[in-house]
Amino acid sequence: VRRVSLSWGRIGGVARTFPLSRAGLEELLLPPSQVVSTPIRGAMDAFGHLSVLLSIIIGLGIPQLLTAGGRLIRHRAHVRFYWPPLLWAAVIVVIFIQMWWSMFGLRSLTNWGFLTFIVVLLQPIMVYMMAAVVLPEDVEAEDIDLREHFASQQRWMFGFFLATVVVSAAKDVTLQGRLPQGANLIFHVFLAVVCVSGMAITSRRFQEVLSLLSALAIGVYIAALFATLRFSAEGLARLQSKSGSR
């Protein structure tokens, strides 16, 4: 590759030059009207713009749980602790982190539609609503029994969890044109059963066992499917095909 030296003026009385390839020099000299952005650069711009709102919701949800947990510790003399809601709060934090982690897989989608974005946005919204009900907010005014609080909120929490699972499946349909496949589908069905049973059965022992099994299953799910930043080649091909047909 032939290289030329591009003078960058003088700094401290010393001339500075930087090597520049011929192709790079030709691109530098092009008029603005002839400079064309590459598809990847455009995709990153679109994803970067839309991911701001997703980041805001996730950024509100994690502090919600951390603040509620810290408040319980500070006012522990007025709190009657019960571990299942605390475990669920930790699981929800992990779910938020997993959503942020998996958002990297959307970076190659170039032709965003409003409906597609709404479906993607609904998932962190539903998880935020789980975070809003799993732990009490006001623990200063009166004594708090976490077992009673969880019993009063469990239908709402599992309802939002079920909505999260449904939206997750709808996201796959919207982005890839099909329902989740293989192990991913099995986990979706299992989590849906967890949510329905969690809403229907109020037994203390059942809720404790369900909390442990759910935490374990979600940990396995994340480790199996989201251990590395990646995006399936088949999914990317489907996205490119949809983008090209519009």
Side-chain angles (χ1 to χ4, degrees):
V1 178
R2 293 185 60 188
R3 292 186 175 272
V4 297
S5 293
L6 179 65
S7 176
W8 198 262
R10 292 178 176 271
I11 301 178
V14 180
R16 301 290 185 180
T17 60
F18 301 90
L20 186 67
S21 67
R22 182 174 180 179
L25 181 61
E26 291 174 352
E27 183 178 354
L28 183 65
L29 297 177
L30 283 175
S33 60
Q34 296 183 27
V35 177
V36 180
S37 298
T38 63
I40 290 297
R41 188 177 302 169
M44 291 297 289
D45 289 343
F47 174 71
H49 171 71
L50 296 175
S51 64
V52 171
L53 190 52
L54 297 169
S55 303
I56 290 173
I57 297 171
I58 295 174
L60 290 172
I62 294 178
Q64 166 88 14
L65 292 167
L66 297 181
T67 301
R71 191 180 293 115
L72 291 174
I73 294 173
R74 288 197 307 273
H75 301 282
R76 56 191 175 276
H78 302 282
V79 178
R80 193 172 185 179
F81 284 93
Y82 181 56
W83 63 265
L86 299 175
L87 178 60
W88 274 112
V91 168
I92 294 170
V93 170
V94 173
I95 292 174
F96 273 126
I97 296 172
Q98 179 269 329
M99 283 193 301
W100 173 264
W101 181 265
S102 63
M103 279 169 52
F104 183 77
L106 302 177
R107 72 196 186 282
S108 299
L109 180 57
T110 58
N111 194 0
W112 281 89
F114 186 74
L115 178 60
T116 301
F117 181 60
I118 289 297
V119 172
V120 173
L121 187 63
L122 277 175
Q123 193 172 14
I125 288 176
M126 292 299 103
V127 180
Y128 176 84
M129 297 307 296
M130 290 176 64
V133 300
V134 69
L135 293 177
E137 292 189 3
D138 187 8
V139 297
E140 302 177 22
E142 57 183 346
D143 291 344
I144 294 294
D145 188 328
L146 282 185
R147 181 182 172 187
E148 292 181 359
H149 173 81
F150 185 68
S152 67
Q153 301 295 332
Q154 70 182 60
R155 287 188 174 89
W156 282 99
M157 192 201 75
F158 284 112
F160 289 128
F161 194 11
L162 180 60
T164 302
V165 175
V166 172
V167 171
S168 178
K171 185 176 71 173
D172 278 18
V173 173
T174 303
L175 295 178
Q176 302 189 37
R178 66 181 188 186
L179 288 169
Q181 301 292 304
N184 196 13
L185 178 61
I186 293 173
F187 276 113
H188 275 74
V189 173
F190 172 78
L191 292 177
V193 172
V194 165
C195 297
V196 173
S197 61
M199 287 188 290
I201 303 175
T202 60
S203 165
R204 174 181 177 181
R205 183 64 62 186
F206 179 82
Q207 288 293 332
E208 292 172 352
V209 173
L210 188 67
S211 299
L212 287 173
L213 288 178
S214 301
L216 179 61
I218 291 171
V220 171
Y221 174 69
I222 293 173
L225 299 181
F226 300 98
T228 58
L229 285 176
R230 59 187 173 84
F231 189 74
S232 72
E234 183 179 356
L236 177 58
R238 287 177 179 271
L239 291 177
Q240 291 175 338
S241 175
K242 289 174 65 177
S243 298
S245 63
R246 293 178 181 178

